[in-house]
Amino acid sequence: MSSNTLATNEVIHDLLGFKHRKIIQRTDRFHFSLDTVLLADFVRFTGRQKKVLDLGTGNGPIPLFLSAKSTAHITGIELQEDMVALAQKNVILNQLEKHITIIHLDINAVPTHFPSSQFDIVTCNPPFFKVPKQAHLNENQALSLSRHELAIDLEGIMVAAKHALKQNGALYMVHRAARLQDILVACETARFRLKRGRFVYPKTGSDAMVVLLEFRFDARSEAKFEPPLIVHHEDGTYTEEVQAIFTNREAL
């Protein structure tokens, strides 16, 4: 099936904020969210980075976003075969075959699949939730894998990132703010140090829902927390900063 032919359970949208990017999504699978957009925006490129690895790429939104910010080659890995096929379809749809590679691979297999120290940047929007002892998970296994640590946990992500990154490479992650302590413990164990962080709040006066994080392996510098990012005004409309993230991002 060509990239222009949609299955009955597929829909095509403009990639948020990009005039010349489109993304195909499945109605029965996890769709990329605001967290994905904010993570892609949080990633910093200096022009020296040549290779990026996106862990758990899904249908490929982060590689699509990052491809508009940098000429670095982006590799996305994904466990679910149907999502791999969809991500590859999205790469073809946007004519980015020379820029993005999608691989069917478990994150846990990164140390055996890739030579060490190959990537300048690793990105990850991981499953947010631990698996409770008496779990009542979504009957749709694909959705459960996207939301719960069934196939990968924080420690596994750190092992993969540590193997993949070059010296002074950066790991970027978005996660629930409530799990910051778990994240920092996992990072400390893997000898990652927090370099940048930013809390994201639904609106002024609310608790932070997610946090954007940049880590460096064996870094010595102190962590810097940027001003909070507020998503909504009191009337529910997006703040000016979030609207700016949504629009004209190809100018970056």
Side-chain angles (χ1 to χ4, degrees), residues 7-96:
T8 56
N9 61 350
E10 294 177 351
V11 292
I12 186 168
H13 298 121
D14 290 331
L15 190 68
L16 192 61
F18 294 88
K19 296 177 182 178
H20 307 296
R21 295 283 193 281
K22 295 187 181 296
I23 188 166
I24 304 167
Q25 305 200 87
R26 282 181 51 167
T27 57
D28 60 342
R29 290 291 186 269
F30 185 78
H31 288 195
F32 80 87
S33 64
L34 178 63
D35 301 336
T36 301
V37 181
L38 297 181
L39 176 59
D41 184 72
F42 189 67
V43 174
R44 286 183 175 175
F45 288 97
T46 65
R48 296 191 298 270
Q49 294 86 357
K50 302 300 182 184
K51 296 179 70 175
V52 178
L53 178 64
D54 183 40
L55 303 177
T57 201
N59 61 332
I62 288 178
L64 293 179
F65 280 120
L66 295 183
S67 69
K69 294 179 64 174
S70 171
T71 58
H73 187 85
I74 305 159
T75 300
I77 67 168
E78 171 58 38
L79 176 63
Q80 300 177 74
E81 289 188 69
D82 55 351
M83 297 305 286
V84 171
L86 191 55
Q88 292 170 339
K89 194 172 179 180
N90 280 320
V91 171
I92 295 169
L93 176 66
N94 290 281
Q95 299 180 341
L96 291 169

Side-chain angles (χ1 to χ4, degrees), residues 92-179:
I92 295 169
L93 176 66
N94 290 281
Q95 299 180 341
L96 291 169
E97 296 94 324
K98 294 182 179 180
H99 202 167
I100 299 173
T101 300
I102 304 297
I103 299 174
H104 179 216
L105 188 71
D106 189 331
I107 295 173
N108 293 300
V110 165
T112 56
H113 183 86
F114 295 103
S116 63
S117 306
Q118 292 293 301
F119 295 90
D120 302 289
I121 289 174
V122 170
T123 57
C124 189
N125 182 0
F128 281 178
F129 302 103
K130 293 182 178 181
V131 180
K133 292 182 180 179
Q134 294 181 337
H136 300 284
L137 301 180
N138 194 307
E139 291 182 1
N140 185 326
Q141 185 183 21
L143 294 178
S144 294
L145 283 169
S146 299
R147 294 168 178 164
H148 294 84
E149 294 179 335
L150 291 169
I152 191 67
D153 56 16
L154 286 168
E155 290 73 17
I157 289 168
M158 298 304 163
V159 169
K162 180 178 177 180
H163 175 85
L165 282 171
K166 296 178 181 178
Q167 186 72 27
N168 297 320
L171 166 63
Y172 291 91
M173 181 183 298
V174 60
H175 215 298
R176 292 188 71 214
R179 294 202 61 192

